[in-house]
Amino acid sequence: MPFITVGTENSAPIDLYYEDHGSGKPVVLIHGFPFNGATWEKVTTQLLNAGYRTITYDRRGYGNSAQPTFGYDYNTFAADLDVLMTELNLSDVTLVGHSMGTGEVIRYLGNYGSQRVSRAVVLSPLQPMLAKANDNPEGVDRSLFKGFQDAIIKDRFAYLTSFCDAFFNPDQNMGKRVSEEAYRAHWQIGAMASAKGTHDSVDAWQEDFRPDLPKIDIPVLIVQGDQDRVLPYPVTGQRLGPMMPTGKLVTLKGAPHGIPWTHAEDVNKAILDFMKQPVKARA
Protein backbone atom coordinates (compact mmCIF):
# COMPACT_ATOMS: atom_id res chain seq x y z
CA MET A 1 0.00 0.00 0.00
CA PRO A 2 1.48 3.39 -0.96
CA PHE A 3 1.86 6.06 1.73
CA ILE A 4 3.31 9.55 1.95
CA THR A 5 4.52 10.91 5.30
CA VAL A 6 3.24 14.40 6.17
CA GLY A 7 4.41 14.68 9.79
CA THR A 8 4.85 12.87 13.08
CA GLU A 9 3.00 12.41 16.35
CA ASN A 10 5.26 11.33 19.18
CA SER A 11 7.11 8.29 17.79
CA ALA A 12 4.72 7.56 14.94
CA PRO A 13 4.70 8.93 11.39
CA ILE A 14 1.55 10.57 10.06
CA ASP A 15 1.13 8.74 6.76
CA LEU A 16 -1.46 9.40 4.08
CA TYR A 17 -2.67 6.45 2.04
CA TYR A 18 -3.09 7.16 -1.65
CA GLU A 19 -3.86 5.38 -4.92
CA ASP A 20 -2.31 6.43 -8.22
CA HIS A 21 -3.69 4.84 -11.39
CA GLY A 22 -3.59 5.36 -15.13
CA SER A 23 -1.68 7.84 -17.24
CA GLY A 24 -2.30 11.13 -18.96
CA LYS A 25 -3.09 14.43 -17.27
CA PRO A 26 -3.46 13.96 -13.50
CA VAL A 27 -6.68 14.41 -11.56
CA VAL A 28 -6.42 14.54 -7.77
CA LEU A 29 -9.70 13.73 -6.00
CA ILE A 30 -10.33 14.69 -2.36
CA HIS A 31 -13.15 12.90 -0.55
CA GLY A 32 -15.92 14.18 1.66
CA PHE A 33 -16.65 13.69 5.36
CA PRO A 34 -16.40 11.18 6.98
CA PHE A 35 -15.46 8.88 4.15
CA ASN A 36 -12.29 8.10 2.18
CA GLY A 37 -10.98 7.81 -1.35
CA ALA A 38 -12.97 4.64 -2.03
CA THR A 39 -16.15 6.69 -2.39
CA TRP A 40 -14.86 8.12 -5.69
CA GLU A 41 -15.22 4.82 -7.56
CA LYS A 42 -18.01 5.97 -9.86
CA VAL A 43 -15.93 8.98 -10.89
CA THR A 44 -12.45 7.48 -11.11
CA THR A 45 -13.66 4.67 -13.38
CA GLN A 46 -14.89 7.16 -15.96
CA LEU A 47 -11.80 9.34 -15.67
CA LEU A 48 -9.55 6.33 -16.26
CA ASN A 49 -11.67 5.27 -19.24
CA ALA A 50 -11.29 8.79 -20.64
CA GLY A 51 -7.49 8.59 -20.44
CA TYR A 52 -6.71 10.50 -17.25
CA ARG A 53 -4.37 9.62 -14.40
CA THR A 54 -6.41 9.44 -11.18
CA ILE A 55 -4.98 10.01 -7.73
CA THR A 56 -7.12 9.60 -4.63
CA TYR A 57 -5.95 9.82 -1.05
CA ASP A 58 -7.42 9.44 2.40
CA ARG A 59 -7.31 12.63 4.46
CA ARG A 60 -5.50 12.36 7.81
CA GLY A 61 -7.83 10.68 10.27
CA TYR A 62 -9.81 8.86 7.61
CA GLY A 63 -9.72 5.56 5.74
CA ASN A 64 -6.32 3.90 5.66
CA SER A 65 -4.38 7.02 6.62
CA ALA A 66 -2.92 7.67 10.06
CA GLN A 67 -5.27 8.94 12.74
CA PRO A 68 -3.39 11.62 14.68
CA THR A 69 -5.05 13.62 17.44
CA PHE A 70 -4.31 17.00 15.83
CA GLY A 71 -4.24 18.79 12.49
CA TYR A 72 -7.94 18.83 11.61
CA ASP A 73 -7.99 22.31 10.14
CA TYR A 74 -7.76 23.48 6.55
CA ASN A 75 -4.30 25.01 6.70
CA THR A 76 -2.99 21.61 7.79
CA PHE A 77 -5.16 19.72 5.29
CA ALA A 78 -3.87 21.98 2.50
CA ALA A 79 -0.29 21.45 3.67
CA ASP A 80 -0.86 17.69 3.54
CA LEU A 81 -2.13 18.04 -0.03
CA ASP A 82 0.91 20.14 -0.91
CA VAL A 83 3.21 17.35 0.32
CA LEU A 84 1.36 14.86 -1.87
CA MET A 85 1.53 17.14 -4.92
CA THR A 86 5.24 17.80 -4.34
CA GLU A 87 6.23 14.20 -3.59
CA LEU A 88 4.46 12.96 -6.72
CA ASN A 89 5.83 15.94 -8.68
CA LEU A 90 2.44 16.69 -10.20
CA SER A 91 1.74 19.46 -12.69
CA ASP A 92 -1.18 20.52 -14.90
CA VAL A 93 -3.45 18.98 -12.27
CA THR A 94 -7.21 19.11 -12.09
CA LEU A 95 -8.16 19.25 -8.40
CA VAL A 96 -11.55 17.75 -7.58
CA GLY A 97 -13.09 17.98 -4.12
CA HIS A 98 -16.43 16.84 -2.74
CA SER A 99 -18.04 18.38 0.34
CA MET A 100 -15.32 18.63 3.01
CA GLY A 101 -12.79 18.00 0.24
CA THR A 102 -13.70 21.31 -1.38
CA GLY A 103 -11.98 22.97 1.56
CA GLU A 104 -8.63 21.48 0.59
CA VAL A 105 -9.13 22.61 -3.01
CA ILE A 106 -9.92 26.22 -2.16
CA ARG A 107 -7.43 26.58 0.72
CA TYR A 108 -4.65 24.93 -1.30
CA LEU A 109 -5.16 27.42 -4.12
CA GLY A 110 -5.33 30.25 -1.59
CA ASN A 111 -2.16 29.23 0.26
CA TYR A 112 -0.01 27.65 -2.47
CA GLY A 113 -1.31 29.13 -5.70
CA SER A 114 -1.98 27.42 -9.01
CA GLN A 115 1.53 26.65 -10.23
CA ARG A 116 0.74 22.93 -10.25
CA VAL A 117 -3.00 23.24 -10.98
CA SER A 118 -4.72 24.11 -14.25
CA ARG A 119 -8.36 23.87 -13.12
CA ALA A 120 -10.52 22.83 -10.17
CA VAL A 121 -13.88 21.23 -9.50
CA VAL A 122 -15.86 21.64 -6.27
CA LEU A 123 -18.85 19.34 -5.72
CA SER A 124 -21.36 20.18 -2.97
CA PRO A 125 -19.07 22.95 -1.67
CA LEU A 126 -18.50 24.29 1.84
CA GLN A 127 -17.73 27.72 0.51
CA PRO A 128 -17.91 30.66 0.80
CA MET A 129 -18.52 30.44 4.58
CA LEU A 130 -20.91 28.00 6.19
CA ALA A 131 -21.10 29.43 9.71
CA LYS A 132 -23.18 32.48 10.53
CA ALA A 133 -21.26 35.60 11.57
CA ASN A 134 -21.93 39.34 11.77
CA ASP A 135 -20.57 39.75 8.25
CA ASN A 136 -22.07 36.44 7.08
CA PRO A 137 -25.74 36.53 8.16
CA GLU A 138 -26.66 34.00 5.46
CA GLY A 139 -24.72 31.26 7.25
CA VAL A 140 -25.84 28.42 9.52
CA ASP A 141 -26.13 29.08 13.24
CA ARG A 142 -23.04 27.87 15.08
CA SER A 143 -25.15 26.04 17.67
CA LEU A 144 -25.89 23.46 14.97
CA PHE A 145 -22.20 22.53 14.77
CA LYS A 146 -22.03 22.19 18.56
CA GLY A 147 -25.01 19.84 18.32
CA PHE A 148 -23.18 17.72 15.75
CA GLN A 149 -20.14 17.45 18.00
CA ASP A 150 -22.24 16.56 21.04
CA ALA A 151 -23.94 13.83 19.00
CA ILE A 152 -20.56 12.48 17.83
CA ILE A 153 -19.31 12.30 21.42
CA LYS A 154 -22.52 10.65 22.66
CA ASP A 155 -22.80 8.00 19.93
CA ARG A 156 -20.69 8.49 16.81
CA PHE A 157 -22.29 5.53 15.05
CA ALA A 158 -25.83 6.78 15.59
CA TYR A 159 -24.70 10.19 14.34
CA LEU A 160 -23.25 8.50 11.28
CA THR A 161 -26.66 7.05 10.43
CA SER A 162 -28.26 10.48 10.62
CA PHE A 163 -25.46 11.89 8.48
CA CYS A 164 -25.91 9.21 5.81
CA ASP A 165 -29.62 10.03 5.78
CA ALA A 166 -28.80 13.69 5.09
CA PHE A 167 -26.14 12.64 2.57
CA PHE A 168 -28.42 10.50 0.39
CA ASN A 169 -31.98 11.80 1.05
CA PRO A 170 -33.16 8.17 1.21
CA ASP A 171 -36.83 9.22 1.39
CA GLN A 172 -36.39 10.35 -2.23
CA ASN A 173 -33.55 8.19 -3.54
CA MET A 174 -33.46 4.81 -1.77
CA GLY A 175 -33.95 2.00 -4.26
CA LYS A 176 -33.61 4.47 -7.12
CA ARG A 177 -30.33 6.34 -6.99
CA VAL A 178 -28.84 4.59 -3.96
CA SER A 179 -29.25 0.99 -2.83
CA GLU A 180 -29.45 -0.15 0.78
CA GLU A 181 -26.12 -1.88 0.19
CA ALA A 182 -24.42 1.32 -1.01
CA TYR A 183 -25.87 3.19 1.96
CA ARG A 184 -24.46 0.55 4.35
CA ALA A 185 -21.10 0.60 2.57
CA HIS A 186 -20.81 4.36 3.04
CA TRP A 187 -21.79 3.97 6.69
CA GLN A 188 -19.08 1.33 7.15
CA ILE A 189 -16.45 3.52 5.47
CA GLY A 190 -17.43 6.40 7.75
CA ALA A 191 -17.18 4.16 10.81
CA MET A 192 -13.48 3.58 9.99
CA ALA A 193 -12.68 7.23 10.64
CA SER A 194 -10.93 8.54 13.72
CA ALA A 195 -13.38 9.46 16.49
CA LYS A 196 -11.39 12.59 17.32
CA GLY A 197 -10.91 13.46 13.67
CA THR A 198 -14.64 13.11 13.07
CA HIS A 199 -15.35 15.43 16.00
CA ASP A 200 -12.65 18.00 15.25
CA SER A 201 -13.44 18.21 11.55
CA VAL A 202 -16.73 19.91 12.44
CA ASP A 203 -14.67 22.91 13.57
CA ALA A 204 -13.01 23.04 10.16
CA TRP A 205 -16.38 23.29 8.41
CA GLN A 206 -16.84 26.68 10.07
CA GLU A 207 -13.71 28.25 8.56
CA ASP A 208 -14.01 31.34 6.37
CA PHE A 209 -12.92 30.73 2.77
CA ARG A 210 -13.84 34.16 1.47
CA PRO A 211 -10.25 35.49 1.64
CA ASP A 212 -9.08 32.56 -0.51
CA LEU A 213 -11.49 33.19 -3.36
CA PRO A 214 -9.88 36.33 -4.90
CA LYS A 215 -6.54 34.49 -5.11
CA ILE A 216 -7.90 31.84 -7.46
CA ASP A 217 -6.85 32.48 -11.06
CA ILE A 218 -7.88 29.22 -12.75
CA PRO A 219 -11.25 27.98 -14.03
CA VAL A 220 -13.44 26.42 -11.33
CA LEU A 221 -16.48 24.22 -11.90
CA ILE A 222 -19.08 24.23 -9.10
CA VAL A 223 -21.64 21.41 -9.07
CA GLN A 224 -24.31 21.02 -6.40
CA GLY A 225 -27.77 19.59 -5.92
CA ASP A 226 -30.53 21.98 -4.94
CA GLN A 227 -31.82 19.41 -2.41
CA ASP A 228 -28.53 19.25 -0.47
CA ARG A 229 -29.44 18.62 3.20
CA VAL A 230 -25.83 18.65 4.47
CA LEU A 231 -24.57 21.91 2.95
CA PRO A 232 -27.67 23.88 2.00
CA TYR A 233 -27.52 25.07 -1.61
CA PRO A 234 -28.69 28.66 -0.88
CA VAL A 235 -25.92 29.05 1.73
CA THR A 236 -23.11 27.48 -0.33
CA GLY A 237 -23.07 26.85 -4.08
CA GLN A 238 -25.73 29.39 -4.97
CA ARG A 239 -23.73 32.12 -3.20
CA LEU A 240 -20.33 30.85 -4.30
CA GLY A 241 -20.94 31.06 -8.04
CA PRO A 242 -21.29 34.87 -8.24
CA MET A 243 -18.33 35.34 -5.87
CA MET A 244 -15.90 33.55 -8.23
CA PRO A 245 -15.13 35.36 -11.50
CA THR A 246 -13.47 32.17 -12.77
CA GLY A 247 -16.30 29.93 -11.59
CA LYS A 248 -19.15 28.21 -13.41
CA LEU A 249 -22.11 26.86 -11.41
CA VAL A 250 -24.02 23.75 -12.49
CA THR A 251 -27.13 23.05 -10.44
CA LEU A 252 -28.51 19.50 -10.33
CA LYS A 253 -32.25 19.71 -9.82
CA GLY A 254 -33.53 17.46 -7.04
CA ALA A 255 -30.08 16.12 -6.21
CA PRO A 256 -28.86 15.48 -2.64
CA HIS A 257 -25.45 16.02 -1.09
CA GLY A 258 -23.91 12.71 -2.18
CA ILE A 259 -23.85 13.46 -5.91
CA PRO A 260 -20.63 11.54 -6.73
CA TRP A 261 -22.75 8.44 -6.06
CA THR A 262 -26.40 9.34 -6.65
CA HIS A 263 -25.81 11.52 -9.73
CA ALA A 264 -22.51 10.10 -10.96
CA GLU A 265 -23.56 10.25 -14.61
CA ASP A 266 -24.34 13.98 -14.37
CA VAL A 267 -21.20 14.68 -12.33
CA ASN A 268 -18.94 12.77 -14.71
CA LYS A 269 -20.37 14.53 -17.76
CA ALA A 270 -19.92 17.93 -16.14
CA ILE A 271 -16.32 17.15 -15.12
CA LEU A 272 -15.29 15.64 -18.46
CA ASP A 273 -16.89 18.45 -20.47
CA PHE A 274 -15.14 20.99 -18.24
CA MET A 275 -11.76 19.28 -18.63
CA LYS A 276 -12.05 19.30 -22.42
CA GLN A 277 -12.34 23.08 -22.51
CA PRO A 278 -9.12 24.93 -23.31
CA VAL A 279 -7.48 26.81 -20.48
CA LYS A 280 -6.33 30.33 -21.25
CA ALA A 281 -2.61 30.91 -20.88
CA ARG A 282 -1.70 32.77 -17.70
CA ALA A 283 0.81 35.61 -17.55
Side-chain angles (χ1 to χ4, degrees), residues 10-161:
N10 295 336
S11 60
I14 301 172
D15 290 337
L16 301 186
Y17 171 75
Y18 71 98
E19 295 190 9
D20 185 354
H21 302 293
S23 58
K25 291 186 177 181
V27 184
V28 176
L29 301 107
I30 309 164
H31 63 84
F33 169 94
F35 305 121
N36 63 35
T39 54
W40 283 115
E41 67 176 73
K42 287 192 173 187
V43 178
T44 54
T45 298
Q46 294 305 311
L47 288 171
L48 287 167
N49 289 343
Y52 293 99
R53 175 184 175 187
T54 67
I55 300 160
T56 61
Y57 71 96
D58 297 348
R59 178 187 297 107
R60 65 167 61 205
Y62 296 87
N64 292 307
S65 290
Q67 298 190 357
T69 57
F70 64 92
Y72 297 98
D73 62 90
Y74 275 109
N75 284 335
T76 302
F77 294 147
D80 289 349
L81 173 57
D82 183 58
V83 173
L84 178 86
M85 300 273 275
T86 301
E87 288 290 319
L88 297 183
N89 194 25
L90 301 177
S91 61
D92 198 16
V93 172
T94 298
L95 278 181
V96 181
H98 174 237
S99 183
M100 187 173 172
T102 65
E104 276 97 338
V105 173
I106 299 300
R107 184 58 52 80
Y108 175 87
L109 293 171
N111 286 1
Y112 298 94
S114 59
Q115 181 180 356
R116 294 184 179 274
V117 184
S118 58
R119 67 189 84 212
V121 180
V122 291
L123 310 174
S124 309
L126 273 171
Q127 298 74 36
M129 182 180 179
L130 188 59
K132 184 178 289 186
N134 290 337
D135 65 345
N136 190 49
E138 304 91 341
V140 176
D141 194 282
R142 291 182 185 271
S143 63
L144 186 65
F145 303 105
K146 176 66 163 55
F148 291 155
Q149 290 183 314
D150 289 345
I152 291 166
I153 291 172
K154 181 179 179 181
D155 188 334
R156 179 167 64 95
F157 304 109
Y159 167 79
L160 186 55
T161 297

Side-chain angles (χ1 to χ4, degrees), residues 33-35 148 156-175 177-188 190 227-231 254-259 262:
F33 169 94
F35 305 121
F148 291 155
R156 179 167 64 95
F157 304 109
Y159 167 79
L160 186 55
T161 297
S162 66
F163 181 84
C164 287
D165 284 346
F167 189 87
F168 285 120
N169 297 6
D171 55 313
Q172 298 173 351
N173 298 308
M174 187 66 77
R177 292 185 175 274
V178 62
S179 64
E180 292 185 8
E181 291 83 359
Y183 179 104
R184 290 199 301 269
H186 278 75
W187 188 96
Q188 184 62 45
Q227 297 300 308
D228 192 327
R229 296 176 186 172
V230 176
L231 300 174
H257 186 68
I259 54 176
T262 62

